[in-house]
Every structure is written in structure tokens, then in C-alpha cells.
Amino acid sequence: MCGIVGYVGRSVDGGIAGHSALDVVLEGLRRLEYRGYDSAGVAVVSKGAIESRKKSGKLSNLIAELEAHPLPETVTGIGHTRWATHGGPTDRNAHPHLADGGKLAVIHNGIIENFAELKLELLDKGVTFLSETDTEVAAALLADIYRNKLAGDTADGRLTRAMELACQRLEGAFTLLAVHADQPDVVVAARRNSPLVVGLGEGENFLGSDVSGFIDYTRRAVELGQDQIVTITADTVEITDFFGNPAAGKEYHVDWDPASAEKGGFSSFMEKEIHDQPDAVAQTLMGRSDINGRLTLDELRIDPELLKQVNKIIVLACGTAAYAGMVAKYAIENWCRIPTEVELAHEFRYRDPILDANTLVVSISQSGETMDTLMAVRYAREQGAKTISICNTNGSTIPRESDAVLYTHAGPEIAVASTKAFLAQITAAYLLGLYLAQLRGNIFSGQIKDVLADLNKIPAKIQKILDNAEPLRELARSMANEKSVLFLGRHVGYPVALEGALKLKEIAYIHAEGFAAGELKHGPIALIDDGQPVFVVVPSPRGRDSLHAKVVSNIQEVRARGARTLVIAEEGDEAVKAYAEYVFYVPETPTLLMPLLNTVPLQIFAAELAAAKGYDVDQPRNLAKSVTVE
Ligand code: AGP
């Protein structure tokens, strides 16, 4: 997500003994550009004052601003590239955010879940806000503590103590960096559920959201742990917990080259993004339900009374996003009992669809710029339908042209083949379905609470799949010369089969086709020849209405005709072993949530096989990340 850099170097006689803070910070932000962002800013501490510049858009805009309005050369500075979550990508919402009369500057990566209540508390104290961001609230809280609660403290160590007290109030995910004019040679940082590493130099020290932020200057790094604060000067690094107790980070040597550092050490952005998926799901869930298990989708600015009247839902999307919609259909119809159709956006408006004011059109788009989807949304609005966008890119066109938006918080997705955005789209669609059910009272609040509890367990289950994927990677490498792979699934496993096939097509250029398993006998089984690889997504054997037996018989049908049966099944499902050449187990979870797990092995398989063929996994031939033409 956001890129963060901090630096303190040594000064001599008021001058710079080592590097210029601004140079280090800008170089670090350039290295972090790959993370994707939509605004950037820097702040330096100079002669008892904070000086800051920030601009929406790319780093080049910030650099132009700095050329027009230069900052002084100093030894202490912080910098930030923002991927907008709360508040659009504007100059005003860009970081750093200032507080304490301009003497404090703060940058942030993550989501402050309780920013709304903190903002009300600070407004009551007379604090005014310039931006829509949760970060400015964190800055104002830090300033209030620094200026008021710690009024009697000496400057030395005061920012660290203020950070400790502020972090005790903050909920959610945050990496915070702060500088204060009273302490010109100090940067204080804190982390919870969001990455932060320290770079150890000689007479200088660094902070970064990852090692790319300082890899040009040092390869000695210290990774901070959960709920830790670090105070750096040119010669010291002190780590404490949120209560001032001494703590220790984990020191290591960075042996990545700068290029692989930009991919977090992974071989491709796609691999990195596959491994980002636990976080993508967790961040998309974060802050959208309360401790009582009620959905709190405040950002969904549509009158709840209108949503209660909805009698039909149409999901519009393309490609992977459309498969996310197909998964969502099963859940939404189950929870809300509202007829839900999933339409390929480029087909939708040419079939004279039936829409009215009680139709809710939900578009799903990672980029928010897919022209097919945008044109379909425009058409739906012209026909009087209410429109909600599920989107990963804040401030993009489709959300802007929708009545409401529910952002996924997967962070920028760089690889053309969509992975973490897909799981985040499904997660957001589940939240929307539960919210509609909550409004309409379709299912008991206890059930909603249970589903949310199950959803909150998904990130750890995805991580378990990622940690145990080596046998699957070996299988993929062994199949690098295959010419065709088929994918079968039933119920929510059917869109998973379609997505697994699309991944293989997109990046390994192999013919691959997904089928509803029940469709086999109606034609596709003619494709089965000796040695034909067939992936089968097997539903859980648990539950009275399980489709397990039917899918197992589908496996037998293809196996009897010579297919290589490659099975994705739930842990503990011994029955499939008798019919499978290869079984990859995923953790148990309720049927409707299974796509969040079953998809991951198929993503890994495709990425590994494509890499084994020597293809560019991130930029496959003929494809663009966002299809902005019809
Ligand atoms: C998926 O791997 C592809 N990159 C493609 O199908 C993509 O999902 C589709 O073009 C929709 O893009 P969007 O989510 O940005 O609208």
C-alpha cells in the first residue's frame, strides 16, 4: 500500500555531515513507487520549524512543486506515497498532515478504524481539520497529547511519549511516522498490523514501509514487531512497546537486489500479490463491522430505506471481476433472498435489460476504469437503477459515476493477472450481501455475526495455504509442457474453476477451460482423452446438502476416461484420495466462503507453471492491466 520513508542524519556546525534528508526521502519514495500511489509528500525539520510539500498525482508533481518551492537542506525528514483509502487522491488529503500549529508532521500507512469517534472528540476540543483523512485525526490526537497532556514535559523524549499515549487510543492498522519542530534530530514511528523496518547506517538511520525505502544506503535492517514504537536519531535506535517498555526488533541483512526488493523479495509482482492476499482480505474487512457483529458500512452513502426496496440485483463486471460477482451471487441470494444476476458488462446493455428504481446494479472493478463496465453502469443509471461500485482504486471513474462505492483495500495490484483484488472483491461483495440482509432482517443477526467471525478467520487460512504450497509448485513445474488443462467445479466452485482457467490462459498461454462439473455429460466430457489434466474443485463433504458425492462421481467419470485428476479438497476429505492423482488440501470453512481459499492454489499453480515456461508473469502478452477501450 502506501510508501513510507524516514531519515535522520548527522549534522555538523548546523550543516549536513552525511546525506540530505530530502535526497534520501525522495530516493526512497522513488524506490517505493512500484507499490502504486496517487499522491506524495515530504516534510523536513529545519531551524525550529517543519517545512512540508505535498501534491496529488505522481512523484514528478511533487518534484515540480519542490523545484518551484524548495525545501531547506536538513538532516531530518519523512516522506510518503499515498494509496487513497479514506478521502480521494487530492493535494489536501496527501500526507504529511500537519498539527500542533504546524510544528508536527505525520505520515501514515493503514486504516485507523476508530478515527470517526476520535475526530468528534477532537472537534469538541476545538480542533479543525483540513482533510477527509483518518491520518489527520491521528496527527491531531498526537498533537493534543504532545501539547496538552504532556505540557510539563521537556522536549527530550516528549514526541516518543506522546506517540505511546496516542497509539494506546488508536485502533486498526497503522504505521505512523512523526517529526516535531522541537526535536530537529528525531523521527518517531509506530506500527500495528502494518509493516515498518528500520535501516541501520553509520551516523544515520532510516525508516521504511519496506527495505526498498533505504536499500541504496544500507542493507542492515531491523523489522519491528506488533505494537512497537521506534525512535531514531543519527546515532541511536530505541525500540519500545506502546507503554514505554524496552522492546527489540529482529535484525537481518538485506540480500535482495533493488529490483527484487521492489517485489518484496518475490520473483514477480503476481507472486507478491498472491502472498498479499491474507492482508488484502483483512484490510477489506477492517473497520466495517462492530463488536456486536453488525455491519457498519457508513461509506455506502445510499439511503437504507432505498436498499430495503431493492427487489433485483444485477452484478456488472468483466473477466476475473465477473467471476467474483458469480461467487457473490450464491452468497447474496442465500443471505438476502434477492434475485441476483451476474452479467458480463459488455453484453449487458445490448440485450435491452429490464431495470427500474428497485434494481440495484453492483459493478465490480479493480481499476475502476474498465470501459465495458463503465458504459454498462452509465446505461443502468440512465434506466433509473441505483448503482454501487465495488472498486480497488480510490477516485477512479466508475466509483465517481456510481451512487455509492464500497472500496476493496487490497492495495495497488501491479500484475496484469488479478489475484488479491479478486479475493478482496469477493470479500467486499460478501460484506454488501450481509449489509443488505441486516437492513432487511432476512437472516438473524446471530448468523451475520457468525459469518463475520468465519470471514475474519480467512486470512490465517490463506496464509496456511501459502505456507504449504511447495508440492503444488512442483506439480506445476512438472506440467510446464501441457497443452490443455480443464477445470471443474460446482456451486461456488464453478466460478473458481472459471477463474483458475483464466489465470492459466492469461499468463501461461495454455488452452484452459472451466466448466460446471454437472455440464460434463452434456458435451465437454468428449474432450477427455488419455492423460488430459483436469483440476476439480471439490466442495466440503460436510453439510446435508453437500454436492460432494456428485463431484466425486464427476471425478470418477473423467478418471475412467484417462484424465489426470488434480483435486482441490477440504482438509480431512479422505474420500477423494481414491480417485485423485494429486490432492491439495485447503482448510475447512463454510461452503459460501470456500472460494476465498480454493482459488489460491489455482493462482499459485498458474504463476509457477508460467514462470517454469520462462514467461513474464507480470506483463503477459496481448494484455493490459486496465482495458479502457470497449
Ligand atoms: C484478470 O486477471 C484480468 N486482468 C481481467 O480479466 C480483469 O479482471 C478484467 O479486465 C476486469 O478488470 P477490472 O477489475 O479492472 O475492471
Side-chain angles (χ1 to χ4, degrees), residues 181-262:
D182 295 352
Q183 295 180 263
D185 54 2
V186 171
V187 177
V188 177
R191 75 164 296 268
R192 168 181 282 172
N193 297 324
S194 182
L196 179 64
V197 283
V198 182
L200 304 175
E202 295 299 325
E204 58 187 6
N205 287 303
F206 308 79
L207 293 166
S209 34
D210 69 50
V211 296
S212 304
F214 50 73
I215 196 167
D216 292 306
Y217 303 95
T218 180
R219 287 176 175 272
R220 290 179 55 212
V222 175
E223 183 175 349
L224 288 194
Q226 183 74 323
D227 288 9
Q228 287 188 345
I229 286 170
V230 61
T231 301
I232 67 168
T233 68
D235 299 301
T236 61
V237 174
E238 289 178 21
I239 301 173
T240 59
D241 64 15
F242 283 1
F243 297 90
N245 304 308
K250 185 174 60 179
E251 182 167 346
Y252 64 98
H253 181 267
V254 181
D255 49 15
W256 298 334
D257 60 70
S260 64
E262 291 187 356

Side-chain angles (χ1 to χ4, degrees), residues 317-323 364-371 373 393 398 413 415-419 421 425 499 502-503 506 623-627:
C318 302
T320 289
Y323 301 151
I364 301 178
S365 176
Q366 190 287 129
S367 63
E369 300 298 346
T370 299
M371 189 55 71
T373 307
T393 308
I398 294 173
E413 189 174 67
V416 167
S418 187
T419 51
Q425 287 161 358
E499 172 60 9
L502 177 58
K503 289 284 105 39
E506 277 192 285
L623 294 176
K625 181 58 187 171
S626 177
V627 183

Side-chain angles (χ1 to χ4, degrees), residues 486-501 514-518 534-540 547-548 550-552 554-555 565-570 573 576 582 584 586 591 594-602:
L486 305 183
F487 293 78
L488 305 182
R490 276 185 185 256
H491 194 259
V492 289
Y494 171 38
V496 172
L498 294 173
E499 172 60 9
F515 298 101
V534 179
F535 262 108
V536 186
V537 179
V538 177
S540 167
L547 286 164
H548 184 269
K550 283 188 167 41
V551 176
V552 169
N554 294 140
I555 297 175
T565 49
L566 315 170
V567 168
I568 312 289
E570 183 179 86
D573 183 351
V576 295
Y582 174 84
F584 184 88
V586 298
T591 295
M594 275 306 254
L596 292 173
L597 302 182
N598 283 338
T599 305
V600 179
L602 301 182

